[in-house]
Amino acid sequence: MTDSRFKFSRFLKIIISSLLIAVLLLFTAAFIRTLSLDVNVGLQLAHWEKTKNITLHIDDRQREELLENFKEAIRIPTISFSPTKRNETALLQFNEFLLKAFPTVFSSSLVHHELVANYSHLFSVQGSQPDLMPYMLLAHIDVVPASEADGWEAPPFSAKEIDEFIYGRGTIDDKNQVMGILQALEYLLIKGYAPRRGFYIGLGHDEEINGLEGAVNIVRILKQRGVKLLFVLDEGLAIVNGIIPGLEGPAALIGVSEKGHATLKLSVSMAPGHSSIPPKDTSIGILAGAVKRLEENPMPRLFGLGPERDTFEHLAHKFRFPLKLAMSNMWLFSPLLARVLEREAVSNALIRTTTAVTMFNAGVKVNVIPSYAEAYVNLRIHSAQSLQEVIDLVQDKVGDQRVKVELVDGFDPPPVSSADETSFGYQIIKKTVLDMYPTLTVAPGICVGNTDSRHFTDLSRDIYRFAPVWFKPGDSKRFHGINERISKKNYEDFVVYYSNLIQNCDIRKLPEPHSVVHEL
């Protein structure tokens, strides 16, 4: 008996010791990876092909010119109110304004311009080496509605300057990009620049209402001509400073995909009745119960199954312990990180499909039990899910056959673009950012909103969403909100950025990778 107890005790000690050793080895590996992981160095240490880039030195006259051009663009209220209503007078005015603002672009023999669907623009810029695959820069002309009565510090279409900022609808979405691209090309052409690699510029006029006339028709034209694109760059993510809790210093996030979208209608139909003799269940009560179940049972956590994993791995070295340890070792800590991230609305949107009930309609009279109630639910679909999966999950969570679930509109998440050391578009964008802002950290990311770029998936495997606009705490609320603004210096940087980007694309190929990523 004593001998059996001794053997069991010895066996237990061996098990416990083995577990402790395993845990120690795991944490040793985690600490080694934490100290050695820096996925950002990469091609920055490599030898890049030399090109004779034209340095864009903006003098006082040019600064005044580019700011005035930008302000005039903001003053034109190119509003998309709804899919059936937009300010067509303003869109025509904007067409005329572009001709006046960028005479060299429109007169250059290297540039072919086409008007698409009356208000969108397609520019084809000829390269001297046609064997080099072209790329495309996207932006959009239209803006969402804005009213001074909402609480703006300056009229939303005044382009008024306040403390070195230009205020107005479109300053960050998306006329900064429209004007920055064309202004950069204008100055390059004036200086005699002729690109080696050809490229396209697409300016849509209805992005805010899904781009079904502008972007879709631009894609149709390019497909008819057999065009394939090396990469596409559109609006999307930005340079964030103080936005991500715990991150030391600013970071440039390059969108490698965007979430899918679904609008669902939930409805209940029953016989009407008088409020003095209410039934056990009413249309409003049944629908309210369904909505409550959706809100109380969010979609599953999918952290690590989409681009968000790469985002935090690329940013890991800029966090302090213990976050640095956790983010450098997703293989070990991803379940824990997911629970932390879901506590905040912004980070929660990165790790799952989000559910938002946006409209609820029922009732016609205070003493009548309505026969019909409906609610609209907006879902932004994580990259690891499909539209149909989400619809099925909603039906399961509603769990009531009396509630009818209908798809109003929606689409799957677009494919995730590459972001490794062989990804031409991603590395060119990254290099251009770091040449201008050497202290930034650059990371791939996911757009929670949608852009015109999703229509271009048949033309390119690599679609990126980034503009060099700086966002500080509180600035994200200005996007589609009140007091949208951009600093004069930031807009000037847009012009320099696109000038450098266009020229950086003239290399034939990327340098050989210099990887410093240590894998377990």
Side-chain angles (χ1 to χ4, degrees):
M1 188 73 165
T2 304
D3 188 50
S4 297
R5 286 180 180 175
F6 175 75
K7 287 182 178 178
F8 178 75
S9 176
R10 187 178 177 186
F11 176 73
L12 191 61
K13 286 179 180 178
I14 291 172
I15 294 295
I16 293 172
S17 297
S18 299
L19 287 172
L20 288 173
I21 291 170
V23 170
L24 181 62
L25 288 173
L26 277 175
F27 275 90
T28 300
F31 270 104
I32 291 171
R33 182 176 171 83
T34 301
L35 296 174
S36 62
L37 180 69
D38 184 354
V39 294
N40 281 276
V41 179
L43 297 186
Q44 299 311 116
L45 299 179
H47 297 290
W48 287 74
E49 179 184 336
K50 291 189 183 211
T51 56
K52 296 180 181 179
N53 281 16
I54 297 169
T55 303
L56 188 58
H57 294 296
I58 297 175
D59 58 32
D60 290 341
R61 183 194 63 78
Q62 288 174 320
R63 183 172 293 108
E64 182 180 349
E65 175 187 61
L66 68 86
L67 289 174
E68 189 48 48
N69 278 343
F70 181 56
K71 288 178 182 178
E72 190 168 346
I74 299 301
R75 293 184 187 115
I76 303 173
T78 51
I79 301 170
S80 287
F81 294 96
S82 72
T84 58
K85 184 183 178 184
R86 56 180 171 249
N87 191 337
E88 294 182 352
T89 301
L91 288 169
L92 287 172
Q93 184 183 349
F94 201 87
N95 289 351
E96 296 171 2
F97 160 69
L98 290 180
L99 285 165
K100 182 186 75 172
F102 306 112
T104 310
V105 170
F106 282 91
S107 63
S108 172
S109 60
L110 296 176
V111 182
H112 175 65
H113 169 256
E114 298 170 76
L115 204 58
V116 179
N118 297 320
Y119 312 112
S120 289
H121 299 263
L122 175 60
F123 298 87
S124 308
V125 185
Q126 181 182 334
S128 61
Q129 297 184 15
D131 60 313
L132 296 180
M133 196 173 184
Y135 62 97
M136 188 160 200
L137 304 177
L138 295 179
H140 67 89
I141 294 163
D142 64 324
V143 300
V144 296
S147 171
E148 189 175 0
D150 292 334
W152 283 71
E153 293 178 35
F157 296 101
S158 66
K160 184 178 179 180
E161 282 188 35
I162 303 176
D163 298 329
E164 296 299 305
F165 283 86
I166 299 171
Y167 280 67
R169 181 62 85 223
T171 50
I172 56 175
D173 182 28
D174 184 40
K175 287 179 179 174
N176 50 354
Q177 203 152 329
V178 170
M179 299 300 291
I181 292 169
L182 291 179
Q183 192 72 70
L185 181 57
E186 178 81 3
Y187 287 154
L188 285 174
L189 292 171
I190 288 172
K191 287 178 175 284
Y193 171 72
R196 291 169 63 185
R197 184 184 300 275
F199 63 98
Y200 296 90
I201 299 171
L203 308 179
H205 73 272
D206 60 345
E207 188 272 351
E208 299 293 358
I209 47 176
N210 294 323
L212 299 181
E213 291 185 14
V216 167
N217 277 302
I218 289 173
V219 169
R220 179 184 56 78
I221 290 169
L222 294 178
K223 286 177 77 171
Q224 286 175 347
R225 294 172 185 169
V227 172
K228 288 293 181 181
L229 300 168
L230 184 58
F231 72 93
V232 174
L233 176 59
D234 197 2
E235 63 166 339
L237 297 184
I239 300 170
V240 295
N241 190 9
I243 301 288
I244 302 174
L247 182 68
E248 296 182 346
L253 303 180
I254 301 171
V256 292
S257 188
E258 58 189 55
K259 296 183 99 175
H261 171 97
T263 299
L264 302 181
K265 183 172 81 168
L266 278 57
S267 61
V268 178
S269 296
M270 299 182 72
H274 197 280
S275 61
S276 63
I277 313 174
K280 181 182 176 182
D281 296 317
T282 65
S283 59
I284 292 177
I286 293 168
L287 188 57
V291 165
K292 185 179 181 183
R293 288 190 292 277
L294 281 179
E295 293 185 333
E296 290 181 345
N297 298 280
M299 293 290 173
R301 289 187 297 270
L302 297 169
F303 182 64
L305 301 179
E308 70 282 350
R309 177 175 182 142
D310 285 340
T311 302
F312 289 105
E313 274 204 340
H314 278 71
L315 297 177
H317 67 293
K318 288 292 187 178
F319 283 88
R320 294 179 181 175
F321 281 94
L323 281 176
K324 183 175 183 178
L325 175 67
M327 291 182 181
S328 298
N329 296 278
M330 297 290 187
W331 59 277
L332 183 59
F333 295 108
S334 59
L336 177 63
L337 269 174
R339 291 186 178 277
V340 172
L341 292 170
E342 70 179 352
R343 294 176 183 174
E344 298 292 333
V346 173
S347 50
N348 179 61
L350 300 177
I351 67 170
R352 60 162 41 94
T353 295
T354 54
T355 306
V357 180
T358 54
M359 296 174 67
F360 197 114
N361 305 311
V364 293
K365 202 167 184 285
V366 294
N367 64 345
V368 175
I369 296 172
S371 62
Y372 182 77
E374 66 178 18
Y376 287 84
V377 182
N378 187 261
L379 301 109
R380 299 304 172 109
I381 304 170
H382 188 277
S383 297
Q385 285 184 312
S386 68
L387 174 61
Q388 189 57 53
E389 283 179 83
V390 168
I391 294 171
D392 293 343
L393 281 168
V394 168
Q395 289 175 326
D396 288 343
K397 291 174 187 296
V398 166
D400 190 332
Q401 293 185 348
R402 296 172 297 179
V403 181
K404 186 178 181 182
V405 179
E406 299 173 86
L407 175 65
V408 178
D409 60 65
F411 48 85
D412 288 319
V416 177
S417 300
S418 62
D420 58 28
E421 291 180 329
T422 64
S423 305
F424 188 93
Y426 183 86
Q427 293 299 336
I428 289 292
I429 297 164
K430 179 179 177 179
K431 173 179 170 54
T432 307
V433 169
L434 290 176
D435 285 348
M436 289 186 67
Y437 309 110
T439 61
L440 287 188
T441 303
V442 180
I446 180 79
C447 286
V448 295
N450 298 121
T451 67
D452 269 347
S453 67
R454 65 187 172 86
H455 298 296
F456 287 76
T457 53
D458 287 344
L459 298 180
S460 181
R461 290 183 302 172
D462 286 329
I463 297 175
Y464 303 102
R465 302 148 183 92
F466 171 79
V469 60
W470 284 73
F471 275 164
K472 294 183 179 179
D475 284 343
S476 59
K477 294 179 181 177
R478 301 177 191 275
F479 188 85
H480 283 200
I482 64 170
N483 294 321
E484 185 180 343
R485 69 181 190 178
I486 191 171
S487 74
K488 293 193 292 184
K489 175 64 169 65
N490 195 179
Y491 175 65
E492 184 178 320
D493 283 353
F494 262 72
V495 179
V496 175
Y497 168 81
Y498 285 111
S499 170
N500 294 342
L501 179 81
I502 290 168
Q503 295 180 87
N504 286 340
C505 286
D506 279 340
I507 63 170
R508 292 195 69 87
K509 63 179 182 177
L510 294 174
E512 289 299 314
H514 181 97
S515 180
V516 294
V517 181
H518 300 273
E519 298 295 344
L520 290 174

